[in-house]
Amino acid sequence: LRSLGVFIRQAGTLLFICMILILLHGSRGEIPSKPIAATILPSVKPDGGVQAYPEDQKNNLPMFTMNYPRIQIPFEITLWVLLASFAKIGFHVYHKITIWVPESCLLISIGLIVGAIMHSVHEEPPAVLTSNVFFLYMLPLIVLDFVAVFMQVLWFAVVGTLWNSIGIGISLFAICQIPAFGVQDINLQENLLFSAIISAVDPVAVLNVFEDVSVNEQLYIVVFGECLFNDAVTVVLYNMFSFVAEMPVVEPVDVFIGVARFFIVGLGGMAFGILFGFVAAFTTRFTSKVREIEPLFVFMYSYLAYLVAELFAISSIMAIITCALTMKYYVEENVSQRSCTTIRHVIKMLASISETLIFFFLGVVTITTDHEWNWGYILFTLLFAFVWRGLGILVLTQIINPFRTIPFNMKDQFGLAYGGLRGAVSFALAFTLPDTIGRKQLFVTATIAVILFTVFLQGISIRPLIEFINVRRTNRNLETINVEIHGRLMEHTIAGIEDLCGQWSRFYWKDKFMKFNNRILRKILIRDSRAESSIVALYKKLELQNAMEILDTASGDISAAPSIVSLYEEKKSSSKPQKKFLAADLKNMHDILSKNMYKIRERTVAYRGKHALPNDNHTREILIRRHVSIRRSLRPGSFQSSYFSLPAGKSLESTFPAARRSYADDHETLSEVAYPSQRSRFGKPARSSSSKAMIPLRRLGTLEEVPSTDVLNEDSSSTEQGVFRTNSSYSDSHVPRPRRLNSSFDNNNGSADDLRNVHEEPSSPPPGWAAEPRDNTARNPLLRRPQWTPKRK
Amino acid sequence: MGASQTRLEHNYDDLTEKSGFSHEQIKNLYQRFQQLSGNNEKISRDDLERIPALNNNPIRKQIITAFFDKRNQHQNDVGSLDEIGFEQFLMVMSHFRPVNSKATEEEKATVRKQKLRFLFNMHDTDNDGIITLDEYRTVVEELLSQSGAIETEVARAIADAAMLEVASTNVPHMAPDDFYEGITFEHFEQILKGIEMESRMHIRFLDKNAATMRCGKLSS
């Protein structure tokens, strides 16, 4: 690894230098005369223009021509992106750095260096970054990635930002009155404008920091959500103040208009987002035949939402966030697995690029613009930014804590306050200040100073500080089925008790909304709108993950099959009414697992950061092939109960390929859909071995049951896609499989119970399902498309 | 309500001590109790089943049963009652009191244990102190019954998976002939030790008049 790192560094440095030189000379259309990387051919004339056919030249067709101006802009952009990406690679080669220094710092530093170089040769920075570009292209990509928001977030965002802006603005204005600093010409409006700019907390910077530190969920969500939503406030304030700053006189009616405008901006943004989200969902309902362009819809609609919001000067970030949220919920159930994966990958990639670039440019521009430095103003800005944020958090938390189930304690509040990093948003806003403002340069300088200060100092120091004061960390290890089940149990219990004693709570509205959702919205927007419980989704996901891991080991471990077969035989003969889990089962599973524990652990890599993806395509590929071959090898002979459900006369071969094809298709892309994309931090959690434990029993057993699945598919071939694509985009072939296994595994015990249950307990399944799979009469119910009619109520 | 109220007032302190509710809260709950019972002294199961809002709750049956379960009365009794009086009503409700943030660690642990015990009792319908596979399955089926299109077998598979999880975490080294009987309370605690009960298992019993609360919603 070290040698690789060294190599990368060297290559990177080399290319780095090349790029710099190219860029330096690029604007002049010259090529450097020194021999450099092979992109440039040395045999060209220095002026590099198009080789037309000038009459006074020789008559040959020129063999090599170079036309730099033609490609200049995209070329430069590409080089910048590459450069930034190389820098990123470089950082991660040395892990120790990224632990202590957030990526944004490093990127800015590189940018500073590059900027210094450019400055020293008196080159202008590439004009690629104007704030329009920034807003229009880069910002939406970053935020599309994150989708968790709460009411409190709004509270902090809106009120907090207002508080900050006004506070900072007024105190700066007060400072301006002091003649010693020489900034008396800045009036109140301009101060307020400036303070609006720098009170915008930046999601990118914050994320970078908080990701590494892994504070508890609540804190993270609030801070991050605040960043996102304060865009609404900032935009309004900015527009309002800049408008006002140009007016000589401010009237009260303008203030009212401002307030009204604020609501329009915020709510309008959300409304647009939801609207576009619905349209997208509706569109994707019909895209079952054109799967390839589904990702396109997702991107285009969200981008459209962003642009339309910009058109009406309402909060575009809110539009895109709500659009993404809505889409995530509805569209995800309509699109195919592959599209989901594609979308996710593309978004992460683009977000990564743009984020990198933004910080990079920050560094470059810092050096290369003319600055106006005013010690007093800038220092006080820093001071006030910090102070007001701290105060703001304190006050707001006091107000909101009584409403929270877990109040924020002092440490949380410190985390909240300290985590308010400024970043690219402020930067861009500062740049777009109208030139009519006399002190624009000062503002820009001050903004950059604040950004650098927060990102570097706060960014680097936040990690040790948080560890030092021991803020509650998140517990990442909770993905067990039991936890999920009991979480739900508790929710329902609470809801029930509350109904019982006539008290309402947040669950009431949630329930109401869910009902509306299920009854109306889902029918319209989703192609196959069966609701799915989160428990089932989690269970499927865990099953699948485990299956992939288990089966991906050496196939020698399938030797466990005989022992399980023997268990099976044993159970067939015994007919104990009570079900117990044989320890032998567990022991076998543990054996299998412990042999592969090391491998499994290797693969269960801790999530590497928000832009890293769960890296299991390789796993899956192997799995598919292995799985298929296992199925074939196990099929003949062993578990004979499987063939009962085939309609007489059909051969296995004819049914098998059909399932395998589509099964492989879905299996291939069974991916991060079920991974919590919310925080994208969980990746593959370290699971308790128990959930793995049950897998071999199931998988090996269910492998033969595939034929019965085929039958199901045959029967409902027209709805094949429906069967294979249930709501969580999981292949439905997984669902029948555990079912089958259970039937066969439980056999006598099961059937005895089932038959008993049918009569005794109202909660038993409808009679059709309870039938023993060994009976041929069971064929009919099994052939039926899965339907569950709730028997309660 | 006059006579019964004065009688009740004598017991307020007693009730407060036993259940931990404040006087205001007890008053509110008493009003609700009166409503549910139709001004009788005792509530029967039918009274509770008549509550319309509970109809949508998938585990309605378990919740109602919990009220009539003697084990939830903090008295080491087993069995079930047919009717409950106000005191018993309160005792069940006391499981859902929010934890006082100033409580000591021990107290918090006790409260947590109580809440877990409540959940455990919800599973363990035959009162034998362990949750068997059947019982667990029943609960999971109920939970999922409202999710639509969930076959029983899936619910069973999930319950089985959950049981296996418990077995593996708690009894990792069983001999080949051992049986895993079921989840005991200790195992139950163990597997749920990651969950934060304090926030998820409590209800805000406001100190206001219950009648007025129908008009507004609680913000939380």
Side-chain angles (χ1 to χ4, degrees):
Chain A
L1 191 64
R2 281 217 80 84
S3 55
L4 183 65
V6 170
F7 172 72
I8 289 179
R9 282 231 170 258
Q10 288 173 345
T13 324
L14 185 65
L15 272 161
F16 177 70
I17 298 177
C18 298
M19 280 190 261
I20 293 299
L21 292 167
I22 291 172
L23 285 164
L24 286 179
H25 294 277
S27 55
R28 278 177 262 158
E30 277 185 33
I31 42 151
S33 50
K34 313 174 210 149
I36 319 181
T39 50
I40 299 174
L41 302 164
S43 64
V44 184
K45 285 205 194 155
D47 68 334
V50 174
Q51 297 282 6
Y53 300 93
E55 287 82 351
D56 53 347
Q57 295 278 339
K58 282 190 290 190
N59 236 358
N60 321 5
L61 193 64
M63 288 223 290
F64 302 109
T65 61
M66 219 184 78
N67 183 5
Y68 190 67
R70 186 162 167 226
I71 60 156
Q72 178 170 355
I73 294 191
F75 189 66
E76 287 179 359
I77 296 177
T78 314
L79 284 180
W80 279 110
V81 174
L82 270 178
L83 178 62
S85 310
F86 281 130
K88 229 177 151 156
I89 296 179
F91 300 150
H92 286 284
V93 170
Y94 299 118
H95 289 292
K96 288 226 175 353
I97 300 186
T98 49
I99 293 181
W100 292 109
V101 182
E103 240 179 61
S104 37
C105 294
L106 291 170
L107 285 169
I108 296 185
S109 324
I110 298 268
L112 286 170
I113 297 173
V114 173
I117 296 179
M118 300 185 78
H119 190 68
S120 62
V121 294
H122 299 291
E123 273 295 323
E124 314 147 10
V128 181
L129 180 70
T130 66
S131 45
N132 285 335
V133 173
F134 172 73
F135 269 131
L136 284 176
Y137 293 113
M138 295 191 187
L139 206 47
L141 303 171
I142 303 177
V143 299
L144 198 57
D145 215 359
F146 302 95
V147 286
V149 288
F150 288 92
M151 267 311 250
Q152 304 160 10
V153 156
L154 276 179
W155 168 256
F156 273 109
V158 170
V159 180
T161 313
L162 274 175
W163 170 279
N164 273 324
S165 318
I166 297 181
I168 297 178
I170 295 184
S171 28
L172 276 177
F173 183 60
I175 292 295
C176 289
Q177 308 305 71
I178 304 176
F181 297 122
V183 285
Q184 267 161 318
D185 52 328
I186 309 181
N187 57 17
L188 182 63
Q189 293 102 310
E190 291 177 349
N191 269 312
L192 284 174
L193 181 61
F194 176 63
S195 66
I197 295 175
I198 61 166
S199 45
V201 180
D202 179 53
V204 174
V206 170
L207 261 184
N208 253 316
V209 166
F210 269 32
E211 276 284 331
D212 301 324
V213 177
S214 73
V215 293
N216 69 53
E217 281 250 356
Q218 292 282 321
L219 200 56
Y220 181 89
I221 289 174
V222 170
V223 173
F224 183 62
E226 180 199 344
C227 306
L228 293 180
F229 282 113
N230 71 16
D231 176 61
V233 183
T234 310
V235 165
V236 171
L237 286 179
Y238 181 80
N239 285 327
M240 202 166 74
F241 287 143
S242 65
F243 189 67
V244 153
E246 298 176 4
M247 283 175 13
V249 176
V250 180
E251 298 176 15
V253 67
D254 293 323
V255 176
F256 283 125
I257 294 182
V259 171
R261 178 151 178 68
F262 164 69
F263 281 108
I264 293 179
V265 164
L267 297 176
M270 290 214 285
F272 267 102
I274 295 181
L275 177 70
F276 276 101
F278 279 158
V279 175
F282 193 66
T283 315
T284 52
R285 187 177 172 194
F286 303 107
T287 58
S288 49
K289 300 296 179 200
V290 281
R291 295 269 176 205
E292 305 82 29
I293 61 172
E294 273 170 349
L296 194 68
F297 281 118
V298 171
F299 291 127
M300 289 302 119
Y301 275 115
S302 31
Y303 200 57
L304 208 58
Y306 182 78
L307 291 176
V308 170
E310 280 284 313
L311 170 67
F312 290 110
I314 56 180
S315 169
S316 44
I317 286 191
M318 292 214 39
I320 209 175
I321 291 171
T322 35
C323 187
L325 269 173
T326 329
M327 283 201 294
K328 177 169 174 54
Y329 186 69
Y330 293 110
V331 170
E332 196 161 358
E333 308 200 5
N334 278 338
V335 303
S336 71
Q337 277 291 342
R338 277 202 171 127
S339 305
C340 264
T341 318
T342 311
I343 295 173
R344 223 166 290 241
H345 279 249
V346 172
I347 290 181
K348 284 196 194 305
M349 177 190 80
L350 293 176
S352 180
I353 294 176
S354 50
E355 175 192 322
T356 311
L357 276 180
I358 287 174
F359 282 110
F360 197 66
F361 278 127
L362 191 61
V364 171
V365 169
T366 308
I367 305 270
T368 54
T369 56
D370 306 320
H371 291 292
E372 183 184 332
W373 188 266
N374 183 308
W375 276 105
Y377 197 73
I378 292 180
L379 284 180
F380 271 104
T381 307
L382 280 173
L383 180 70
F384 286 135
F386 206 64
V387 163
W388 280 102
R389 181 165 175 87
L391 277 180
I393 296 285
L394 208 65
V395 170
L396 293 180
T397 333
Q398 289 310 319
I399 298 180
I400 202 178
N401 260 344
F403 297 106
R404 285 179 55 85
T405 46
I406 317 170
F408 280 134
N409 57 20
M410 288 307 291
K411 299 177 189 165
D412 289 335
Q413 289 172 33
F414 176 76
L416 274 178
Y418 207 66
L421 306 181
R422 274 71 169 173
V425 179
S426 321
F427 178 53
L429 282 175
F431 253 58
T432 47
L433 279 175
D435 288 322
T436 55
I437 297 184
R439 291 291 197 144
K440 177 178 170 176
Q441 280 312 114
L442 175 61
F443 287 151
V444 170
T445 310
T447 310
I448 294 183
V450 170
I451 295 175
L452 288 180
F453 182 82
T454 54
V455 171
F456 275 93
L457 248 81
Q458 286 182 237
I460 296 184
S461 60
I462 197 172
R463 172 176 261 261
L465 271 177
I466 286 203
E467 286 176 5
F468 181 66
I469 64 174
N470 204 19
V471 173
R472 280 180 297 207
R473 304 295 200 86
T474 179
N475 183 356
R476 289 189 186 183
N477 201 9
L478 284 186
E479 276 208 345
T480 64
I481 298 183
N482 277 297
V483 167
E484 181 78 22
I485 289 180
H486 285 96
R488 287 282 298 274
L489 198 66
M490 286 193 277
E491 265 186 32
H492 284 299
T493 312
I494 295 291
I497 302 274
E498 278 173 350
D499 287 332
L500 223 136
C501 47
Q503 309 199 24
W504 298 357
S505 82
R506 58 185 179 274
F507 289 116
Y508 179 77
W509 290 107
K510 185 175 172 189
D511 276 343
K512 267 213 139 124
F513 175 69
M514 289 306 288
K515 264 190 238 132
F516 168 69
N517 186 29
N518 285 335
R519 217 175 297 136
I520 300 181
L521 287 179
R522 291 179 69 103
K523 295 259 166 42
I524 301 179
L525 297 175
I526 299 184
R527 201 179 314 125
D528 176 22
S529 60
R530 289 174 297 169
E532 183 172 79
S533 152
S534 66
I535 298 181
V536 177
L538 177 69
Y539 164 71
K540 284 180 184 171
K541 169 187 154 197
L542 284 177
E543 263 235 338
L544 194 68
Q545 283 175 358
N546 294 334
M548 292 200 293
E549 288 189 351
I550 295 292
L551 284 177
D552 198 20
T553 63
S555 47
D557 284 320
I558 305 299
S559 62
S563 53
I564 297 186
V565 174
S566 61
L567 285 177
Y568 182 85
E569 300 290 323
E570 191 191 335
K571 286 206 129 221
K572 258 196 290 183
S573 47
S574 73
S575 48
K576 293 201 251 320
Q578 229 175 349
K579 254 172 292 290
K580 301 196 196 291
F581 276 101
L582 287 179
D585 304 1
L586 293 174
K587 182 161 191 313
N588 279 325
M589 294 167 215
H590 277 285
D591 280 347
I592 296 176
L593 284 172
S594 56
K595 274 188 230 163
N596 307 297
M597 204 58 87
Y598 181 61
K599 278 197 214 157
I600 290 174
R601 240 183 244 126
E602 258 187 357
R603 229 174 283 124
T604 314
V605 170
Y607 199 65
R608 281 164 287 153
K610 64 187 184 299
H611 290 315
L613 292 164
N615 181 19
D616 45 13
N617 284 320
H618 177 64
T619 316
R620 227 166 280 123
E621 289 291 340
I622 302 181
L623 168 70
I624 299 160
R625 294 188 199 113
R626 192 74 55 82
H627 206 128
V628 168
S629 60
I630 286 173
R631 285 198 312 203
R632 298 201 121 164
S633 64
L634 279 184
R635 213 179 352 116
S638 43
F639 297 70
Q640 77 217 82
S641 67
S642 52
Y643 302 148
F644 64 87
S645 54
L646 273 185
K650 275 219 177 138
S651 74
L652 272 177
E653 263 57 43
S654 63
T655 56
F656 189 60
R660 183 167 42 108
R661 221 186 308 124
S662 40
Y663 169 72
D665 171 72
D666 285 324
H667 216 356
E668 223 170 271
T669 55
L670 290 162
S671 65
E672 309 90 359
V673 168
Y675 293 174
S677 56
Q678 216 178 352
R679 291 276 302 284
S680 303
R681 302 197 324 185
F682 289 82
K684 282 192 184 186
R687 286 179 292 284
S688 59
S689 58
S690 52
S691 45
K692 293 179 210 154
M694 64 165 245
I695 295 314
L697 194 57
R698 295 179 182 290
R699 281 289 157 241
L700 297 170
T702 55
L703 293 173
E704 305 67 40
E705 311 292 9
V706 172
S708 53
T709 323
D710 303 345
V711 170
L712 212 57
N713 298 336
E714 292 284 324
D715 200 39
S716 50
S717 54
S718 59
T719 52
E720 181 207 45
Q721 298 207 322
V723 170
F724 271 101
R725 295 190 166 81
T726 44
N727 309 313
S728 69
S729 313
Y730 256 85
S731 147
D732 205 7
S733 56
H734 291 286
V735 175
R737 268 193 273 121
R739 168 164 47 114
R740 294 288 172 276
L741 172 63
N742 257 337
S743 336
S744 51
F745 179 59
D746 298 335
N747 60 72
N748 288 343
N749 308 342
S751 64
D753 274 359
D754 285 346
L755 292 173
R756 251 202 342 244
N757 285 346
V758 167
H759 303 297
E760 286 168 18
E761 286 171 38
S763 62
S764 68
W769 288 119
E772 243 296 290
R774 316 183 119 243
D775 298 337
N776 280 337
T777 58
R779 248 198 284 142
N780 287 330
L782 291 171
L783 286 177
R784 245 197 326 221
R785 192 156 168 229
Q787 287 289 349
W788 171 262
T789 48
K791 294 173 46 272
R792 296 221 148 257
K793 299 227 254 197
Chain B
M1 232 197 320
S4 54
Q5 197 163 26
T6 30
R7 195 172 6 123
L8 203 57
E9 269 164 22
H10 298 312
N11 292 342
Y12 269 173
D13 297 321
D14 192 30
L15 289 172
T16 305
E17 200 186 304
K18 278 198 200 152
S19 66
F21 286 120
S22 71
H23 285 204
E24 276 298 316
Q25 290 168 334
I26 295 182
K27 236 189 258 182
N28 283 328
L29 287 171
Y30 188 70
Q31 281 179 349
R32 180 64 179 170
F33 182 85
Q34 296 285 69
Q35 262 190 339
L36 290 175
S37 70
N39 284 328
N40 289 333
E41 283 294 316
K42 300 231 175 215
I43 288 185
S44 69
R45 276 181 206 251
D46 294 330
D47 292 325
L48 289 183
E49 289 190 1
R50 258 186 271 129
I51 303 176
L54 269 187
N55 283 336
N56 297 327
N57 201 312
I59 51 172
R60 169 170 173 258
K61 184 162 140 296
Q62 271 87 353
I63 297 178
I64 294 180
T65 312
F67 274 89
F68 295 93
D69 190 342
K70 278 196 199 161
R71 287 174 299 173
N72 288 333
Q73 297 294 329
H74 297 293
Q75 280 176 4
N76 296 330
D77 228 352
V78 291
S80 67
L81 307 159
D82 290 326
E83 302 180 312
I84 53 171
F86 180 58
E87 190 174 323
Q88 285 126 346
F89 183 75
L90 261 193
M91 292 311 291
V92 175
M93 287 296 184
S94 72
H95 283 99
F96 296 98
R97 245 186 330 116
V99 177
N100 193 350
S101 53
K102 299 191 197 62
T104 64
E105 283 303 318
E106 282 171 27
E107 287 171 16
K108 284 190 192 169
T110 322
V111 172
R112 184 188 162 84
K113 202 159 178 165
Q114 264 182 17
K115 299 191 192 226
L116 278 174
R117 188 85 219 177
F118 187 87
L119 283 182
F120 189 84
N121 291 340
M122 272 177 73
H123 284 293
D124 187 19
T125 46
D126 62 355
N127 285 340
D128 59 356
I130 53 174
I131 305 178
T132 60
L133 184 62
D134 269 339
E135 291 167 346
Y136 206 106
R137 277 183 178 174
T138 313
V139 176
V140 173
E141 279 169 17
E142 301 270 308
L143 259 185
L144 296 178
S145 62
Q146 289 219 328
S147 290
I150 304 289
E151 304 89 4
T152 325
E153 304 299 341
V154 176
R156 289 186 157 206
I158 294 176
D160 293 347
M163 282 292 283
L164 265 169
E165 258 180 18
V166 180
S168 302
T169 41
N170 285 309
V171 198
H173 302 294
M174 292 200 298
D177 291 327
D178 286 352
F179 288 128
Y180 184 66
E181 296 279 344
I183 310 181
T184 64
F185 187 60
E186 287 73 29
H187 293 174
F188 193 69
E189 276 182 312
Q190 179 68 21
I191 56 173
L192 291 185
K193 70 175 171 56
I195 297 189
E196 192 173 6
M197 306 283 301
E198 291 76 15
S199 63
R200 297 169 84 157
M201 268 277 280
H202 83 274
I203 300 179
R204 292 181 178 280
F205 294 100
L206 287 197
D207 291 336
K208 287 192 258 173
N209 192 349
T212 61
M213 272 176 15
R214 223 132 308 167
C215 312
K217 107 178 134 94
L218 275 183
S219 63
S220 64

